[in-house]
Amino acid sequence: MLHRVDAAKHMWPDQLKQIYNSLNDLNVEAGFPKGSRPFIYQEVIDYGGEGVKFSEYTGMGHVTEFKFGKELSRSFRGQNLLKWFRNFGPEWNLMNSDYALVFVDNHDTQRAGDNTLNYKDSKQYKMAVGFMLSWPYGTKRVMSSYDFTNHDQGPPHNPDMSIKSVTTNPDMTCNNGWICEHRWRQIYNMVRFANAVKGTSVEHFWDNGSNQISYCRGNKGFVAFNLDNYDLNQKLMTCLPAGTYCDVISGNKIGNRCTGKTITVNADGTANISIGRNEEDGILALHDQAKL
């Protein structure tokens, strides 16, 4: 069971601890193991320099790591080089991974006008979310929102102010003013990627000295990014067993076929990887469960 504590930084940590300690264990009749505790994450905005520090709240549950989305947005907007991502985490002045709740944007930051990436920058946004879901740092949260043109705009509604229903297309994307980022193929497939590579580490991080990078997640997955204004065409180490794989960004694996790109991995784990600068997506991802 998930509990978000809004504006936790405005409450004294010891008082929050008393509240959390008074919560009952989760109900075994609902299927939770005996002694299970609620998952708590606390909204603490700490970009550095604030009087209240995230470290005051980390002993009681997860804490929102706002710097994570800020740094990803800066980099995928071209304000920092992707090659520096090879040590992304505490070395970037982020909190310890064990208690970080991370996201690219949330309901506040996507409207803040501070260069935070959101659905309106779809290519870069998908790349940033893809990095978040492929990088072993923090507990990830995927955004799902609705279209807006001003900061205070509410959800899509009918003339009588009732909320519009979510309608979907054959590819599962949404209509009626709902964005439903969680239904984008590139994002839900990267959630599957994250599940497939769980427990593995980053290996064979490669960069071109600029904004083309790739890395393995153990021998379970491989991902590559191209944010440069020229094509990526490179023989790279994927760490995967030999075979043909479906690129889960450009398509879906359906049975033994792929609706997008297919990549052939050689006996030594290498493959020829191409991401054109003008392609719809600047990311390519393979994992062992997408083998054809």
Side-chain angles (χ1 to χ4, degrees):
M1 184 174 292
L2 182 69
H3 293 274
R4 177 184 186 268
V5 182
D6 186 54
K9 69 180 294 183
H10 299 292
M11 296 186 69
W12 193 252
D14 286 344
Q15 293 179 342
L16 284 176
K17 187 175 183 178
Q18 292 178 39
I19 294 172
Y20 302 159
N21 288 340
S22 69
L23 295 174
N24 294 327
D25 290 345
L26 300 181
N27 193 342
V28 295
E29 295 182 2
F32 294 103
K34 185 177 180 180
S36 297
R37 300 293 292 163
F39 179 91
I40 294 171
Y41 76 92
Q42 305 157 102
E43 186 198 27
V44 178
I45 303 173
D46 180 4
Y47 288 108
E50 285 87 355
V52 177
K53 305 298 182 185
F54 70 79
S55 56
E56 298 178 63
Y57 297 83
T58 52
M60 301 179 293
H62 280 59
V63 180
T64 50
E65 177 50 282
F66 279 84
K67 294 190 294 293
F68 182 92
K70 178 181 179 180
E71 293 294 354
L72 288 193
S73 294
R74 288 185 66 248
S75 295
F76 283 101
R77 284 190 182 280
Q79 299 167 10
N80 204 352
L81 296 177
L82 299 191
K83 72 173 185 176
W84 302 120
F85 277 168
R86 66 175 54 246
N87 67 345
F88 193 71
E91 292 85 351
W92 286 55
N93 199 30
L94 303 181
M95 68 180 71
N96 187 288
S97 175
D98 292 343
Y99 40 73
L101 192 288
V102 299
F103 45 90
V104 175
D105 63 331
N106 73 358
H107 60 286
D108 287 321
T109 63
Q110 73 167 183
R111 297 163 180 252
D114 60 355
N115 289 321
T116 296
L117 283 170
N118 61 35
Y119 70 91
K120 297 181 181 184
D121 314 283
S122 61
K123 183 172 183 176
Q124 294 92 336
Y125 183 76
K126 288 179 285 186
M127 294 174 74
V129 175
F131 179 84
M132 175 183 75
L133 292 167
S134 65
W135 193 255
Y137 175 85
T139 298
K140 296 92 164 59
R141 185 181 66 187
V142 172
M143 182 64 171
S144 188
S145 63
Y146 53 83
D147 185 41
F148 66 91
T149 56
N150 67 73
H151 182 277
D152 298 323
Q153 184 172 337
H157 57 270
N158 299 303
D160 65 356
M161 300 306 290
S162 60
I163 303 300
K164 284 188 176 181
S165 299
V166 178
T167 59
T168 57
N169 302 307
D171 66 354
M172 298 201 309
T173 56
C174 296
N175 296 310
N176 257 1
W178 298 96
I179 301 300
C180 304
E181 294 93 327
H182 71 291
R183 289 179 176 266
W184 295 3
R185 180 191 67 247
Q186 300 86 345
I187 291 179
Y188 68 68
N189 273 340
M190 285 308 295
V191 172
R192 291 172 175 165
F193 178 101
N195 290 333
V197 304
K198 186 176 180 179
T200 64
S201 59
V202 171
E203 299 178 17
H204 291 277
F205 190 103
W206 169 87
D207 70 77
N208 70 334
S210 182
N211 286 310
Q212 296 178 359
I213 63 172
S214 72
Y215 47 89
C216 307
R217 286 295 305 273
N219 63 353
K220 298 289 187 180
F222 166 83
V223 65
F225 299 83
N226 180 18
L227 194 63
D228 279 327
N229 60 0
Y230 49 88
D231 297 347
L232 184 160
N233 290 293
Q234 187 77 27
K235 186 177 184 179
L236 296 169
M237 172 55 71
T238 71
C239 307
L240 291 166
T244 302
Y245 293 80
C246 181
D247 166 33
V248 297
I249 297 297
S250 60
N252 289 315
K253 179 180 182 290
I254 302 176
N256 291 320
R257 68 183 183 92
C258 179
T259 62
K261 296 180 185 178
T262 59
I263 304 295
T264 300
V265 175
N266 304 314
D268 63 356
T270 62
N272 294 319
I273 304 298
S274 297
I275 305 176
R277 65 186 179 93
N278 292 323
E279 290 188 30
E280 176 186 356
D281 298 309
I283 175 176
L284 178 149
L286 318 172
H287 58 83
D288 61 352
Q289 296 176 23
K291 189 176 183 181
L292 301 176

